[in-house]
Amino acid sequence: MTICRQWLEPRGEQAALVNALQEGSGAVALCAENSVAWLSADFSCQESGRVCVPLPHFFTPSQMQWAFESAGVGTLLTDQPDAPLWRQCGFTVCAA
């Protein structure tokens, strides 16, 4: 499972995120504050054909893990990529 930082880039980079998401598998978890970047990430998931699973920051680690496993999440898009929780849940950060 991977965390992608690329979705934080300006709208012009959305095509690159769509391409990166098309190469992955499983659902895409989206855990971020509401913003233009969140909306762009959601549209990127739609364009790539991947299922988007929006998750709130207030979920406990066990709730997050349950959501990841239940939805078959393979990629996480987040505005907090360095949070220790993600590594505890088995994610690694990618540059793409």
Side-chain angles (χ1 to χ4, degrees), residues 19-68:
N19 290 337
L21 290 174
Q22 287 173 334
E23 294 175 10
S25 62
V28 177
L30 178 52
C31 186
E33 296 296 327
N34 291 337
S35 65
V36 173
W38 191 101
L39 189 59
S40 178
D42 186 43
F43 286 146
S44 295
C45 289
Q46 291 177 35
E47 286 184 46
S48 70
R50 304 268 302 273
V51 173
C52 181
V53 180
L55 298 171
H57 283 296
F58 63 78
F59 266 16
T60 65
S62 61
Q63 288 174 309
M64 286 285 192
Q65 189 66 45
W66 182 87
F68 295 147

Side-chain angles (χ1 to χ4, degrees), residues 7-8 30-35 57 77-82 86:
W7 74 282
L8 296 170
L30 178 52
C31 186
E33 296 296 327
N34 291 337
S35 65
H57 283 296
L77 301 178
T78 182
D79 55 359
Q80 299 177 3
D82 298 321
W86 310 134

